[in-house]
Amino acid sequence: MNRLSSRIGALVVVACAILSFSASPASAKKTLRVMTYNIHVGVGMDKKLDLQRIADVINRERPDLVGLQEVDRGVKRTEGKDEIAELAAMTRMEYAFAPNLDYQGGKYGVAILSRFPIKRSVHRMFENKREAERRGMLLVEVELDQKPLTFVTTHLDYQFEDGRLFETEQLLRQLTDVKGPLIVVADLNDVPSGSAYQLMRTKFDDAWITSGAKGDGFSYPADKPVKRIDHIFHGKGVRAKKARVIETLASDHVPVVAELEVSHFETQHVAGIDWPRYQDMAVDLMQQYLRIDTSNPPGNEIQATKFFKRIFDQYGIESEVFEYKPGRANIIARLKGNGSKRPIILLNHTDVVTAEPASWEVDPFSAVIRNGYIYGRGALDMKNEGLLHLMTMILLKQEGPPLSRDVIFLGTADEEVNDEGSLWMIANKSDLFKNAEYLLTEGGDNLLHDGAVRIVGVDVAEKAPFWLRVTAGGLPGHGSRPVADSATNRLIRAMSRILDWETPVKLLPAVEKYFRDIAPLQPQPLRSQFANIRESLKDPAFARSLTSQREYNFLLRNTISITMLSGSKQTNVIPNAATCNIDVRLLPGESPEDFLKALTAVIADSTIKIDNVNRFKPPNSSPVDTELFSLIARRTKANHPNAVITTKMLSGYTESQLYRQLGIVAYGWAPIYTTPDDDEGVHGNNERISVKNVREGTREFYEVVRDISRN
Ligand SMILES: [Zn+2]
């Protein structure tokens, strides 16, 4: 037993074999059940001290290892009991105790119960930043299949966020030398958005998240939990299969239990991915990428493909560049899976819209960092997402698990002008990706409000532009002698009928879900009206008021905007033709032929001609009852507990519509969180992305792609 003394004084670790184990309880058993439980010194919600109740909870769950917080030994308030010794006896487990504090003549601290013999234990105190209760960590080593497994528990400061962060820094330092699988359970007194939790996540996975546990994982207070502060973390070589909270009022917290599969005994770097290193790299590569001028026109995307190719080569990721026209190129890179699932495509366009340097505070291609923001054309549309896609490829290659499906990086040219890049790939190289199950690209819309993520909108549907030219003909003449049914007069009458036409309101499932999801953010009576939007729309007054708002109207119907008008070029000439262009946007599922028929009936003038003047992009949508959608929702919820995750239908369009036609489920989503202020930079001036977003987005995006692609 390796004992290390702390500054405060004696180390007290007790390990006693209270019962005889059957031959070797640990052998061949690779699935572990682990619990973290702040027992509130055994005092339940009814204010009664009752250790048997705590023991009953533990015995019911039969965990192999338990981290306990708030444990007394010889303290007056708990009748001088040696709580951990009593609990060990009642649960027939071994124990270790770490007294962090002298209190009422006794000791108070954290403890561990173990079904396996405890081979070694270590208690370390944390330094304090300021006047606060002293805290510490307790580590035990047990054997699983004759290999060491390390289990740690701690309980962080309850008052100060900077105190918790300081303690976490110390904890991570103390764990750097641990070899083999490592599990850390803790009452962090910190929710997932807190800085201590975030720091833990740079080194560890959270079993609640990786297991895909249902529910919010709230563990405090026990009678009406609203906070997730009790956590089970694990490093590499450990996989979380299940996690849940146990309802009980035996303490003021409820315990969290996870089933963990310990698989990689050879693992050396147990502390998981070195996130700070990858995040530094992400920021650096973001800057490099933004410095490449791919303003379209002319595009010159070949420069972007060279940038990507160089990095893919460096990491041994297979990739190929297709220069379909001088200077215009696409790139595809692939990580191979075992083929048991169909591929996922990470699609990003490498061109950017042009920038007017005079209107910018910085050179649009300098990628300078100011006040925590990286500036550059493309920072939000969409070199940022291209960068996350790149980092995900690197991370999967360097750190990822075996893959069940191919992960395909697809960088395309010319999205901002003609979609030439994607159209060329689909026409010439679709064999490389057309069997994909999923695609992620731009189009999502996530709102940051007061520093917190409020709405995460996944683009699952897009309207289709169906641009029409309406032409009226008639007798020409001199303006001094009016012609009653002149081309202009006919056109104006037709336009007037179009203006009066209220296209039918239709509620698509994705839109219905959107209204339901955002309902809780609305004041009454809107809240209940949105929650039951299908019913509410039956009330004509409500439907009218809703569709009179621009941000909702387009979601509910095909829309028409009259945009270009032309008649005579001279005031005194009645022309023989007059035209008007209208920008029609169709809902997913609508047929342009049907719309044209309806429009013709509204115009009710057989002499008027209607022509389609754009390349029609079929309206399109992807289902939301998919594994990928629920994974995005679950992960996002875990990372941003106050966020509403919902579906979005875009009034505009992205390249998703090209790939949805191939039968691929395409979503516009990335963990990029912007304020309305930030969004003004898209196609505008001073486009920028926060460094924080690049850093955290790297991890959030990777984790979703990893989980949808792992074997
Ligand atoms: Zn874009």
Side-chain angles (χ1 to χ4, degrees):
M1 187 173 281
N2 181 4
R3 298 190 175 199
L4 294 147
S5 51
S6 65
R7 249 177 49 145
I8 236 183
L11 165 90
V12 182
V13 171
V14 185
C16 58
I18 333 176
L19 73 151
S20 57
F21 286 93
S22 54
S24 171
S27 70
K29 183 176 183 187
K30 290 184 187 168
T31 298
L32 280 181
R33 188 174 277 225
V34 164
M35 174 186 276
T36 186
Y37 195 5
N38 179 326
I39 60 167
H40 196 227
V41 298
V43 176
M45 291 306 289
D46 56 4
K47 306 250 186 317
K48 291 202 181 95
L49 170 65
D50 186 348
L51 283 177
Q52 187 59 54
R53 272 197 306 208
I54 301 284
D56 289 346
V57 171
I58 297 172
N59 287 334
R60 251 196 321 271
E61 295 302 320
R62 293 196 54 78
D64 300 292
L65 290 159
V66 186
L68 298 171
Q69 303 86 32
E70 298 197 15
V71 181
D72 274 356
R73 165 178 287 166
V75 178
K76 217 158 87 208
R77 65 177 169 191
T78 44
E79 302 158 13
K81 286 175 190 293
D82 185 345
E83 294 194 324
I84 187 61
E86 287 194 26
L87 283 171
M90 290 186 249
T91 57
R92 301 161 73 86
M93 291 168 90
E94 287 202 21
Y95 74 90
F97 179 58
N100 291 325
L101 212 62
D102 290 326
Y103 188 73
Q104 290 183 351
K107 308 278 184 190
Y108 168 67
V110 299
I112 286 172
L113 291 169
S114 170
R115 207 164 292 286
F116 312 115
I118 294 174
K119 297 283 175 195
R120 182 174 90 97
S121 71
V122 178
H123 172 209
R124 291 265 180 100
M125 298 296 299
F126 298 139
E127 301 284 333
N128 272 0
K129 242 197 164 115
R130 54 170 128 183
E131 201 57 48
E133 277 182 17
R134 284 300 291 275
R135 303 286 166 137
M137 71 97 171
L138 175 64
L139 174 157
V140 301
E141 197 179 288
V142 298
E143 263 182 15
L144 198 59
D145 276 2
Q146 284 117 44
K147 301 262 173 46
L149 171 85
T150 308
F151 183 72
V152 174
T153 190
T154 189
H155 180 199
L156 301 187
D157 188 86
Y158 69 97
Q159 298 180 81
F160 308 110
E161 176 150 25
D162 60 344
R164 291 193 285 276
L165 188 61
F166 188 54
E167 288 162 354
T168 306
E169 285 164 0
Q170 298 173 69
L171 173 69
L172 292 181
R173 265 201 305 279
Q174 286 155 2
L175 297 178
T176 46
D177 296 333
V178 173
K179 301 271 187 290
L182 172 58
I183 297 160
V184 180
V185 306
D187 172 359
L188 289 187
N189 268 313
D190 209 24
V191 294
S193 57
S195 50
Y197 174 91
Q198 290 287 331
L199 183 61
M200 283 300 284
R201 287 294 308 284
T202 65
K203 296 287 177 192
F204 296 103
D205 272 323
D206 177 345
W208 189 263
I209 297 174
T210 50
S211 67
K214 292 223 164 41
D216 20 26
F218 293 156
S219 56
Y220 179 84
D223 54 345
K224 224 180 172 188
V226 292
K227 279 177 157 183
R228 190 158 87 85
I229 56 178
D230 294 281
H231 307 281
I232 297 174
F233 297 101
H234 61 90
K236 263 194 183 173
V238 179
R239 188 173 147 187
K241 292 164 69 180
K242 285 183 194 159
R244 62 205 167 87
V245 292
I246 310 299
E247 271 181 48
T248 165
L249 301 179
S251 160
D252 62 345
H253 287 239
V254 296
V256 182
V257 176
E259 247 172 59
L260 305 175
E261 194 176 69
V262 182
S263 49
H264 301 159
F265 289 100
E266 313 311 326
T267 314
Q268 285 299 311
H269 303 286
V270 291
I273 296 172
D274 184 355
W275 280 111
R277 188 170 74 83
Y278 283 104
Q279 288 168 324
D280 290 348
M281 189 172 140
V283 173
D284 178 52
L285 290 175
M286 181 81 264
Q287 286 181 288
Q288 289 186 36
Y289 187 24
L290 287 173
R291 289 188 187 119
I292 301 169
D293 183 352
T294 51
S295 299
N296 187 13
N300 205 17
E301 297 92 342
I302 186 87
Q303 295 306 327
T305 62
K306 282 181 183 161
F307 164 78
F308 285 125
K309 181 99 177 67
R310 175 174 61 77
I311 299 163
F312 287 137
D313 286 350
Q314 189 184 330
Y315 286 95
I317 298 168
E318 136 202 2
S319 70
E320 198 177 349
V321 172
F322 302 99
E323 190 174 4
Y324 63 87
K325 183 192 263 200
R328 315 299 302 266
N330 303 318
I331 182 168
I332 191 164
R334 180 186 309 263
L335 292 167
K336 278 223 154 299
N338 67 11
S340 60
K341 289 182 181 165
R342 288 154 60 206
I344 180 169
I345 302 172
L346 312 179
L347 172 70
N348 58 91
H349 64 81
T350 58
D351 62 324
V352 296
V353 293
T354 52
E356 195 53 65
S359 310
W360 282 56
E361 288 164 24
V362 301
D363 173 354
F365 297 96
S366 61
V368 291
I369 298 182
R370 271 194 194 174
N371 302 324
Y373 278 90
I374 312 174
Y375 282 74
R377 173 55 86 217
L380 292 177
D381 183 12
M382 65 172 296
K383 285 186 168 170
N384 56 339
E385 298 177 39
L387 181 274
L388 298 189
H389 297 175
L390 172 69
M391 288 307 299
T392 293
M393 297 296 280
I394 296 172
L395 279 156
L396 284 172
K397 175 77 183 179
Q398 298 286 104
E399 312 276 351
L403 300 175
S404 56
R405 61 174 97 235
D406 287 9
V407 179
I408 298 171
F409 174 103
L410 181 52
T412 54
D414 196 44
E415 189 274 346
E416 296 290 2
V417 178
N418 269 327
D419 294 330
E420 261 178 25
S422 271
L423 288 170
W424 188 90
M425 286 305 283
I426 290 168
N428 297 287
K429 294 288 166 189
S430 66
D431 282 352
L432 297 176
F433 53 81
K434 70 171 184 223
N435 66 328
E437 180 174 15
Y438 295 122
L439 177 146
L440 289 173
T441 189
E442 65 182 342
D445 183 14
N446 307 332
L447 180 69
L448 201 59
H449 188 72
D450 290 339
V453 179
R454 293 300 304 278
I455 301 182
V456 172
V458 179
D459 162 18
V460 298
E462 294 174 10
K463 292 184 81 173
F466 183 45
W467 295 348
L468 301 175
R469 184 189 296 123
V470 182
T471 309
L475 272 183
H478 195 274
S480 62
R481 302 177 66 180
V483 177
D485 56 353
S486 68
T488 39
N489 291 359
R490 278 177 181 278
L491 185 74
I492 289 167
R493 288 189 197 107
M495 290 296 101
S496 162
R497 288 191 284 271
I498 292 175
L499 274 182
D500 288 343
W501 182 29
E502 294 197 0
T503 56
V505 167
K506 290 182 186 168
L507 186 63
L508 296 173
V511 175
E512 183 173 16
K513 174 170 159 49
Y514 170 72
F515 278 107
R516 262 203 326 265
D517 290 340
I518 64 166
L521 306 176
Q522 315 300 319
Q524 284 293 17
L526 225 47
R527 189 178 309 161
S528 2
Q529 286 163 334
F530 278 17
N532 303 296
I533 187 75
R534 193 167 287 280
E535 273 308 301
S536 309
L537 280 171
K538 291 181 182 158
D539 170 8
F542 173 78
R544 210 172 311 116
S545 106
L546 193 66
T547 53
S548 70
Q549 299 173 62
R550 277 206 304 182
E551 70 264 46
Y552 299 129
N553 184 47
F554 80 86
L555 295 170
L556 296 163
R557 53 158 45 126
N558 300 327
T559 59
I560 304 171
S561 288
I562 299 176
T563 50
M564 296 164 71
L565 288 166
S566 75
S568 171
K569 293 200 165 49
Q570 273 175 267
T571 307
N572 61 355
V573 173
I574 297 169
N576 61 1
T579 67
C580 164
N581 283 26
I582 61 180
D583 182 351
V584 174
R585 303 285 171 138
L586 299 181
L587 288 169
E590 294 289 294
S591 118
E593 292 76 25
D594 290 352
F595 181 85
L596 216 50
K597 236 182 257 164
L599 182 72
T600 308
V602 166
I603 289 174
D605 181 341
S606 57
T607 68
I608 283 185
K609 217 167 91 213
I610 308 171
D611 298 298
N612 175 216
V613 292
N614 69 332
R615 176 168 59 78
F616 178 68
K617 299 161 195 255
N620 62 90
S621 60
S622 286
V624 294
D625 55 342
T626 65
E627 194 189 345
L628 181 57
F629 189 91
S630 50
L631 180 64
I632 291 171
R634 215 163 55 219
R635 279 267 172 192
T636 305
K637 193 78 193 158
N639 286 318
H640 309 281
N642 297 319
V644 167
I645 294 109
T646 186
T647 49
K648 279 258 170 176
M649 180 170 70
L650 297 198
S651 58
Y653 53 88
T654 71
E655 291 188 313
S656 283
Q657 44 97 14
L658 296 174
Y659 295 86
R660 282 182 183 137
Q661 290 173 57
L662 303 177
I664 300 171
V665 173
Y667 295 135
W669 171 78
I672 302 290
Y673 307 103
T674 53
T675 64
D677 248 13
D678 297 339
D679 289 341
E680 306 223 325
V682 177
H683 293 213
N685 300 324
N686 300 313
E687 190 174 348
R688 61 189 188 272
I689 183 167
S690 72
V691 170
K692 183 169 184 251
N693 230 319
V694 171
R695 297 185 74 89
E696 288 172 10
T698 296
R699 197 185 73 206
E700 282 187 39
F701 193 82
Y702 165 71
E703 287 176 345
V704 165
V705 178
R706 177 196 62 191
D707 288 359
I708 198 69
S709 311
R710 78 186 324 158
N711 201 350

